[in-house]
């Protein structure tokens, strides 16, 4: 645009007015140019498929909380979606998903929820859309305990060593640290404890929360106390401790199915199988948000990468959100494979 384009009859008659008009015209022109990128950016901004916040279930364990924050960041910056996290636990979360109170349950551990998940899926109201990684569960003792008690190899050996794991509240018995109260794995731990007939020699201690469980086990480990407990992996705790698995009876699918049932009448011991960890959403969510569903269905994390992420969290005593940011910045080769190119670029730009 040339300066002459802004000349006028008035300007020709008044040099001062001419300069004023020219200055205003140039300012307007520059303002128009400066607005152009903003208009372009607004046009490029993604429009969320939902006209409300996406509802994630926030379980009370680290890998889930980190994964939820990763997915929320991508949903916001890649798809333009606001979101909220509703704190919950395994079985209540599954019921909430079935009711539609949640949209997304980012981590369902099939081994711990086989019976209730099968029933929920049969209703048609929930859908399994993608496997994240293969997790694991076991009964552990520290390596220093295994060295002190070399004959303790199997879970069935525990009654002979009850005095080595003395329960401070019931000294005549040992203490076994089971799964936190209310979690799906508590059902399996309780049924397995019964199946192994440990009730006469051990108490089954179910911590009130995952944090309580972790704190108790970490304190015992630091003091080099003998402790026997259930835990799952990948987790910061298992990654940071030198542990030995106790041998359980061979895996049997029928026995395991009953172990996952809170109403199992005759539990029989079985080892834990490999545990598929998957994402589930409501059927309505798949209809209302197909692009988000496609993204979530592709969320997969190699086990070694999740272990690295959990190790970072433990070493730095980091909360889920900064750990998620570390993952997004340092594991781009993983998460970029979940997304279309345009979404990937928007997420990278937001980091």
């Amino acid at each position: 645009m040339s300066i002459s384009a802004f000349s006028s009859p008035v300007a020709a008659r008044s040099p001062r007015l001419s300069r004023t008009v020219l200055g205003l015209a140039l300012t307007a022109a520059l303002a128009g140019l400066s607005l152009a990128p903003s208009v372009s950016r607004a046009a490029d901004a993604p429009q969320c498929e939902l006209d409300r916040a996406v509802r994630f279930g926030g379980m009370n364990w680290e890998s889930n909380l980190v994964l939820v924050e990763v997915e929320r960041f991508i949903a916001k910056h890649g798809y333009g979606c606001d979101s909220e996290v509703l704190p919950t636990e395994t079985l209540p979360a599954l019921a909430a998903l079935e009711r539609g109170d949640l949209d997304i349950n980012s981590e369902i551990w099939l081994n711990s929820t086989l019976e209730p998940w099968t029933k929920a899926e049969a209703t048609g109201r929930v859908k399994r859309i993608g496997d994240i990684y293969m997790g694991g569960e076991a009964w552990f003792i520290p390596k220093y305990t295994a060295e002190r008690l070399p004959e303790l190899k199997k879970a069935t050996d525990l009654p002979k060593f009850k005095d080595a794991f003395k329960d401070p509240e019931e000294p005549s018995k040992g203490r076994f640290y089971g799964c936190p109260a209310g979690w799906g794995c508590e059902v399996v731990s309780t049924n397995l404890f019964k199946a192994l007939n440990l009730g006469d020699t051990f108490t089954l201690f179910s911590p009130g929360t995952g944090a309580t469980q972790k704190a108790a086990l970490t304190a015992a480990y630091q003091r080099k106390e003998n402790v026997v407990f259930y835990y799952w992996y990948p987790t910061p705790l298992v990654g940071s401790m030198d542990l030995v698995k106790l041998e359980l009876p061979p895996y049997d699918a029928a026995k395991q199915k009953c172990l996952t049932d809170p109403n199992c009448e005759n539990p029989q011991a079985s080892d834990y199988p490999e545990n598929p960890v998957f994402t589930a959403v409501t059927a309505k969510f798949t209809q209302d948000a197909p692009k988000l569903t496609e993204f979530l269905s592709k969320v997969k994390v190699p086990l070694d990468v999740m272990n690295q992420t959990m190790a970072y969290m433990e070493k730095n005593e980091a909360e889920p959100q900064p750990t998620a940011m570390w993952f997004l910045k340092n594991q781009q080769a993983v998460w970029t494979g979940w997304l279309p190119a345009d979404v990937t670029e928007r997420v990278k730009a937001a980091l």
Side-chain angles (χ1 to χ4, degrees):
M1 183 179 294
S2 67
I3 293 176
S4 62
F6 292 103
S7 63
S8 71
V10 176
R13 289 193 297 270
S14 172
R16 181 179 296 178
L17 185 57
S18 176
R19 288 195 295 271
T20 301
V21 172
L22 179 59
L24 290 172
L26 285 171
T27 300
L30 292 172
L33 290 172
S34 67
L35 285 173
S38 297
V39 173
S40 176
R41 284 194 295 271
D44 293 338
Q47 181 67 42
C48 186
E49 296 169 297
L50 301 178
D51 59 2
R52 58 169 176 80
V54 180
R55 299 184 295 260
F56 285 86
M59 308 301 151
N60 43 5
W61 64 84
E62 294 95 338
S63 61
N64 175 82
L65 294 174
V66 171
L67 189 61
V68 164
E69 291 303 322
V70 168
E71 292 172 346
R72 292 182 72 205
F73 189 92
I74 292 173
K76 179 176 179 61
H77 298 286
Y79 294 91
C81 296
D82 291 329
S83 64
E84 59 184 346
V85 180
L86 305 178
T88 184
E89 297 175 351
T90 303
L91 296 180
L94 185 53
L97 192 72
E98 192 174 347
R99 291 193 305 267
D101 295 338
L102 292 178
D103 296 307
I104 303 162
N105 190 331
S106 297
E107 263 194 36
I108 291 182
W109 290 61
L110 184 61
N111 178 48
S112 301
T113 60
L114 181 59
E115 189 72 20
W117 168 254
T118 302
K119 291 178 180 178
E121 191 176 31
T123 68
R125 292 193 289 268
V126 300
K127 290 189 175 183
R128 174 177 176 172
I129 61 169
D131 292 340
I132 305 168
Y133 53 77
M134 190 68 71
E137 300 171 274
W139 285 17
F140 292 102
I141 56 174
K143 185 178 180 180
Y144 59 75
T145 296
E147 292 170 347
R148 292 171 185 166
L149 307 172
E151 295 181 0
L152 176 55
K153 304 288 187 184
K154 304 177 181 179
T156 52
D157 296 330
L158 282 170
K160 294 183 291 186
F161 299 97
K162 66 181 182 68
D163 293 336
F165 303 96
K166 190 171 294 185
D167 187 328
E169 297 178 8
E170 197 169 346
S172 64
K173 293 184 177 182
R175 171 178 285 189
F176 176 82
Y177 285 85
C179 190
W183 291 20
C185 55
E186 184 189 20
V187 174
V188 180
S189 289
T190 300
N191 280 333
L192 189 52
F193 186 87
K194 292 176 182 176
L196 292 168
N197 298 311
L198 294 177
D200 292 336
T201 52
F202 275 78
T203 61
L204 176 59
F205 182 78
S206 296
T209 66
T212 301
Q213 180 192 36
K214 182 179 178 181
L217 296 175
T218 300
Y221 188 85
Q222 290 173 344
R223 293 193 295 263
K224 292 292 189 283
E225 295 174 356
N226 293 326
V227 61
V228 55
F229 59 95
Y230 160 88
Y231 224 80
W232 69 101
Y233 53 91
T235 50
L237 183 138
V238 172
S240 65
M241 294 182 179
D242 197 355
L243 302 174
V244 174
K245 292 181 183 180
L246 289 180
E247 183 181 333
L248 289 163
Y251 170 71
D252 182 286
K255 293 177 181 178
Q256 179 63 25
K257 183 177 181 180
C258 194
L259 289 175
T260 66
D261 184 354
N263 300 312
C264 181
E265 294 183 1
N266 182 29
Q268 299 181 51
S270 167
D271 199 356
Y272 292 93
E274 287 191 316
N275 200 335
V277 182
F278 63 92
T279 298
V281 298
T282 67
K284 189 174 188 306
F285 183 83
T286 66
Q287 298 166 2
D288 295 344
K291 292 180 181 179
L292 284 173
T293 300
E294 178 71 10
F295 146 51
L296 292 166
S297 72
K298 293 182 178 179
V299 173
K300 298 181 186 298
V301 184
L303 197 56
D304 63 327
V305 171
M306 184 57 77
N307 283 330
Q308 291 173 36
T309 306
M310 294 294 94
Y312 170 86
M313 190 178 197
E314 183 75 5
K315 181 179 179 181
N316 295 278
E317 298 181 351
E319 293 297 318
Q321 197 277 335
T323 304
M325 294 303 295
W326 178 90
F327 174 89
L328 287 163
K329 291 175 181 177
N330 292 276
Q331 302 295 344
Q332 294 195 14
V334 174
W335 63 262
T336 55
W338 309 339
L339 307 171
D342 60 328
V343 177
T344 296
E345 291 308 308
R346 288 195 291 267
V347 174
K348 284 183 176 181
L351 289 174

